[in-house]
Amino acid sequence: MKLSAREAPKLWAAPPDIWAGVLIFGADAMRVALKRAEAVAALTGPDADTEMRLARLQGADVRRDPAALSDAVKAQGFFPGPRAVVLEEAGDGLADTVRAVLADWRAGDARLVVTAGQLRPASALRKLFEGHKAAHALALYDDPPGRDEVEAMLRAAGLARPDGPAMDDLMALALSLEPGDLRQTIEKLALYKLDDGLPPAPEEIAACAPASVEAALDEALHCAAEGRAGDLAPLVRRLGAQGVTPVALAIGAGRHFRQLHAASANPARGLAEVRNFRARDRMQRQLRQWTTPRLEQAMSVLLEADLALRSSSRAPAMALMERALIRVAMLGRTRQER
């Protein structure tokens, strides 16, 4: 059966007695590794490693010795408690071996947590788990973590959930950081807030955020809004090298220009929602070179790019975003040159 990332934590926290395990797969090895660790922790509880209730096998080892997987699943440990067997770097070559283990699985056996890279819909391993009544397949995509996932990371780190601008700042970080970097940032924030007990504030989140990624992303957005088309190419390449996805860049640019548009349409309110005073001052200067119709044109360009990124287009995604930002910058520069 198929399993969504939202449903997974509830299933792993209280799996049915006749539930054999899960296949976790995706193109991003870090996302797969984080989700695997989450599954193992939920299924086995604390001290599984030290109590020998957790076995780890590599796909290459099982290919050489197929019986090793069945032996690990059936083995009885010295300590009571739920057991799990992790099979890493599996592939279609192990589909028959895993099928035999699932067919022979009984309540009380160790549960299987199988990981793999990107698998096509026709993959034998993927079809095995998706069609099994007592196992699940969880596909991980390169979408940024949702609010539920960020809140789960906060709970795991022992942090109180923030509201308003602080939560918005965390979600902005989730758009620009890889999941592993986001988790590390939240763990660093937990140390920063040790013994505090209060939800993190925007300035505390800013103090713990990776400055290089955040600064580069902000600079690219300001660069587009200031009409500096010639400076965009190296900034976009730098963002790509730091792991910022084209979708995250599109979302950030859309948010930036929506804020400018709202301030242009309602000067009395201005940029009150922008909490960082340096960014607010810079955006206030940007507003002087934009009219409301021009901002609407810029938002249309960015929306078109965002839709193209989410379509089946084969165009290079980061190059598509670079072109869109340059078009936006040229729109802003047009008024400057009048």
Side-chain angles (χ1 to χ4, degrees):
M1 293 179 285
K2 293 182 180 180
L3 181 66
S4 72
R6 178 175 294 182
E7 297 167 336
K10 293 181 181 178
L11 173 67
W12 296 336
D17 290 338
I18 49 171
W19 184 76
V22 63
L23 166 66
I24 303 171
F25 67 95
D28 189 325
M30 176 58 75
R31 291 174 190 266
V32 172
L34 289 172
K35 195 58 71 174
R36 179 204 67 216
E38 181 184 327
V40 169
L43 289 169
T44 62
D47 304 320
D49 263 325
T50 56
E51 294 180 357
M52 296 177 288
R53 292 186 287 109
L54 177 63
R56 301 179 187 274
L57 299 172
Q58 293 293 319
D61 297 332
V62 174
R63 278 190 289 273
R64 286 192 295 268
D65 180 13
L69 183 61
S70 178
D71 291 345
V73 169
K74 295 292 184 182
Q76 296 297 317
F78 292 106
F79 295 89
R83 296 181 301 110
V85 173
V86 174
L87 173 59
E88 299 186 70
E89 298 179 5
D92 285 349
L94 289 175
D96 289 340
T97 301
V98 175
R99 181 180 288 107
V101 170
L102 289 176
D104 193 39
W105 192 91
R106 299 292 182 270
D109 291 348
R111 290 189 167 97
L112 270 175
V113 178
V114 181
T115 65
Q118 186 64 50
L119 299 175
R120 295 176 299 171
S123 157
L125 188 64
R126 177 174 173 176
K127 290 174 71 174
L128 169 62
F129 277 84
E130 288 181 345
H132 203 281
K133 295 181 179 179
H136 283 87
L138 172 59
L140 299 180
Y141 302 102
D142 289 341
D143 299 328
R147 186 173 291 263
D148 289 346
E149 293 175 272
V150 173
E151 290 178 356
M153 291 183 192
L154 289 168
R155 287 194 297 271
L159 283 169
R161 179 191 178 280
D163 291 315
M167 193 63 191
D168 291 342
D169 289 348
L170 277 177
M171 294 310 300
L173 279 179
L175 293 174
S176 60
L177 296 179
E178 291 297 313
D181 294 334
L182 177 63
R183 189 180 294 271
Q184 288 181 353
T185 300
I186 289 176
E187 289 172 354
K188 179 180 177 182
L189 185 60
L191 291 173
Y192 194 89
K193 298 284 292 178
L194 196 64
D195 299 327
D196 187 323
L198 298 174
E203 57 272 16
E204 294 169 330
I205 294 170
C208 295
S212 57
V213 173
E214 188 179 16
L217 180 58
D218 287 347
E219 186 58 30
L221 303 183
H222 287 308
C223 187
E226 290 163 1
R228 293 160 42 215
D231 297 336
L232 275 166
L235 279 171
V236 172
R237 283 196 295 270
R238 178 183 168 194
L239 286 170
Q242 290 177 326
V244 175
T245 66
V247 170
L249 185 55
I251 293 172
R255 182 176 60 249
H256 187 94
F257 277 86
R258 282 195 301 273
Q259 288 174 331
L260 288 176
H261 180 264
S264 176
N266 186 1
R269 177 170 174 77
L271 294 161
E273 62 181 316
V274 181
R275 301 290 174 173
N276 185 310
F277 71 92
R278 291 189 181 89
R280 186 167 60 244
D281 289 347
R282 193 167 178 179
M283 292 174 74
Q284 197 66 52
R285 292 192 296 271
Q286 292 163 12
L287 275 173
R288 297 170 193 157
Q289 68 190 64
W290 289 91
T291 63
T292 301
R294 287 275 179 189
L295 285 167
E296 289 170 353
Q297 284 183 266
M299 291 165 63
S300 178
V301 169
L302 293 171
L303 178 60
E304 179 184 337
D306 191 27
L307 291 174
L309 288 175
R310 299 170 191 272
S311 73
S312 57
S313 170
R314 295 185 179 181
M318 194 57 92
L320 191 152
M321 267 314 301
E322 179 182 327
R323 180 174 177 272
L325 289 174
I326 289 173
R327 286 178 63 193
V328 167
M330 296 300 288
L331 281 171
R333 196 166 68 180
T334 301
R335 188 178 182 193
Q336 281 182 311
E337 293 173 349
R338 285 181 177 178

